[in-house]
Amino acid sequence: MSEQALHVQKPGWFTVNVFNRAVTWMTRRGISVWGSRVLAVRGRKSGEWRRTPVNLLTVDGDRYLVAPRGHVQWTHNMRAAGGGRLLLGKRVEEFTATEVADEDKADVLRAYLKRWKAEVGVFFGGVGPDSTDEELRAIAPKHPVFRLDRAEGR
């Protein structure tokens, strides 16, 4: 992976200390904010459960997690663990995750930006839901996307 593809945009103080905490607080109480969930995934080194707020996206019946800030801790942990849990209040859903190839991300990124551009658009370098497939594919390496499938028997 190139150095540019590994670039991470860290969230600002307001996002970390106010927005993420508020969304996480509501999501833990069973209130989904625009598709919010709390992602629980095992740490790739510690094996301990790590939690972060995420936006669950559904496109053509398939469910996805997109990393708007790039290759962050939860994406590294997801690759190592191959899945995790989505939490909404007391509801826990276990899933397996498959990373989507860069060349296959355009439709998912477009749908994600259509729904959450106001919240995360700054992390996509001027690319938006009306951008061409070529423009979306150009930024795809910077934004991991995982397709989620319910874990068998859960």
Side-chain angles (χ1 to χ4, degrees):
M1 217 177 277
S2 72
E3 184 176 319
Q4 182 181 17
L6 291 175
H7 179 72
V8 173
Q9 292 198 312
K10 298 211 183 255
W13 182 91
F14 181 82
T15 299
V16 170
N17 293 295
V18 178
F19 187 77
N20 281 357
R21 286 183 182 179
V23 170
T24 300
W25 185 87
M26 290 189 297
T27 304
R28 284 187 177 160
R29 281 148 187 82
I31 303 166
S32 178
V33 181
W34 302 300
S36 66
R37 299 291 189 279
V38 173
L39 169 66
V41 64
R42 288 202 182 268
R44 64 194 178 282
K45 297 175 185 172
S46 70
E48 294 179 20
W49 287 100
R50 304 293 184 195
R51 294 179 180 205
T52 190
V54 293
N55 293 322
L56 181 62
L57 175 69
T58 301
V59 177
D60 297 329
D62 289 323
R63 298 172 328 134
Y64 298 91
L65 292 179
V66 175
R69 292 179 183 90
H71 297 265
V72 293
Q73 293 302 317
W74 75 259
T75 64
H76 298 298
N77 291 339
M78 183 77 77
R79 284 185 193 105
R85 297 174 177 163
L86 289 176
L87 312 172
L88 180 59
K90 293 182 180 184
R91 184 173 160 225
V92 177
E93 177 192 335
E94 295 195 24
F95 66 87
T96 59
T98 304
E99 191 160 7
V100 176
D102 291 340
E103 60 272 10
D104 298 329
K105 292 180 185 176
D107 289 340
V108 175
L109 291 173
R110 179 175 285 109
Y112 189 84
L113 287 164
K114 185 174 183 179
R115 178 132 189 203
W116 290 293
K117 185 176 184 208
E119 179 184 336
V120 298
V122 67
F123 302 116
F124 287 86
V127 174
D130 298 326
S131 296
T132 65
D133 284 356
E134 182 177 290
E135 291 167 324
L136 288 161
R137 278 192 293 271
I139 65 159
K142 296 178 184 177
H143 303 282
V145 174
F146 295 89
R147 191 187 82 244
L148 309 184
D149 293 299
R150 282 186 172 77
E152 294 297 318
R154 314 273 156 132

